[in-house]
Amino acid sequence: MTYTVIRLPQYTKADLDEITGGLDDPFEVAALGVRSRDKDVHYGVRHEGRLVAHAGLVDATVSVGARRFPVAGLGGVVVAPDLRGQGLARLVVDAAVAHARGTGAEFGLLFCLPDRMPLYRRLGWRESTDGMRVEQPGEAVVDHPLHTMWLPLAEDAVWPAGRARLHSLPM
Ligand SMILES: CC(C)(COP(=O)(O)OP(=O)(O)OC[C@H]1O[C@@H](n2cnc3c(N)ncnc32)[C@H](O)[C@@H]1OP(=O)(O)O)[C@@H](O)C(=O)NCCC(=O)NCCS
């Protein structure tokens, strides 16, 4: 099967439900209680009139020590349960990363559960084990409970060592 990735003009909860079939908590992170940001740029795949895959991007800023730099936050990566294992996540993540390369961001950044890390490693992402503090509603700043992964967008960019701080809600 050949799938084509497209830029989506918008992405709503109804679109997510169309992909998952209305699954409750499709990312399996609800119990963590971490609020995340909406994404601004969306890529998806339509198959037989139905949205079946999505990846979203949002601009964000990270600091590590005295260094402050722009990142492209990747999130909302999801594929219809009946079409997994066919490269659809790769397709939408690749499209989002290609877009991110034109934004001036130095790194891609995402947060994920440990069992999703092999997928991103396969796509070239690496883990930062130093942890990241992120903003939450009410001016709270908390350690993100998920794993932090990064992708170099500028040539030879290497994620700086040290505890990082994201200057927004996570993606
Ligand atoms: C995670 C998810 C998006 C993967 O989608 P998918 O379409 O099955 O993934 P792909 O088929 O595009 O896989 C891409 C590559 O990663 C590899 N991969 C995927 N899952 C893997 C795993 N658990 N372990 C090792 N490799 C994995 C694939 O083999 C493939 O490699 P290849 O292209 O070299 O063969 C999908 O399972 C999903 O929607 N899960 C629920 C939502 C979610 O957890 N999203 C991620 C949030 S961080």
Side-chain angles (χ1 to χ4, degrees):
M1 181 68 63
T2 307
Y3 298 103
T4 306
V5 64
I6 50 169
R7 174 116 180 231
L8 303 173
Q10 57 169 22
Y11 183 69
T12 64
K13 171 72 168 66
D15 294 319
L16 171 62
D17 285 344
E18 190 172 317
I19 294 172
T20 65
L23 259 187
D24 190 33
D25 191 18
F27 301 99
E28 301 175 76
V29 294
L32 300 174
V34 178
R35 274 276 298 279
S36 59
R37 296 173 67 180
D38 287 342
K39 275 42 103 186
D40 292 331
V41 172
H42 303 279
Y43 287 90
V45 173
R46 287 191 190 284
H47 176 61
E48 295 176 349
R50 167 185 160 219
L51 193 63
V52 295
H54 168 262
L57 277 178
V58 64
D59 291 336
T61 303
V62 167
S63 56
V64 181
R67 235 189 109 190
R68 196 177 165 109
F69 49 90
V71 299
L74 179 76
V77 177
V78 62
V79 172
D82 52 318
L83 293 176
R84 289 179 188 167
Q86 299 184 42
L88 284 175
R90 177 187 281 275
L91 211 54
V92 288
V93 170
D94 280 355
V97 167
H99 178 96
R101 287 189 197 284
T103 65
E106 289 181 40
F107 302 96
L109 172 71
L110 64 82
F111 299 97
C112 72
L113 288 166
D115 67 347
R116 273 64 160 180
M117 292 172 72
L119 155 74
Y120 293 107
R121 280 201 201 99
R122 195 107 180 102
L123 303 182
W125 294 68
R126 299 155 210 192
E127 184 180 14
S128 163
T129 52
D130 292 333
M132 183 164 309
R133 291 173 66 71
V134 302
E135 295 182 3
Q136 287 290 277
E139 297 183 20
V141 179
V142 302
D143 286 316
H144 201 298
L146 296 178
H147 291 258
T148 303
M149 299 192 79
W150 60 275
L151 180 79
L153 297 178
E155 207 175 324
D156 296 333
V158 176
W159 189 265
R163 200 164 186 223
R165 160 79 195 265
L166 179 68
H167 296 276
S168 65
L169 295 179
M171 49 289 313

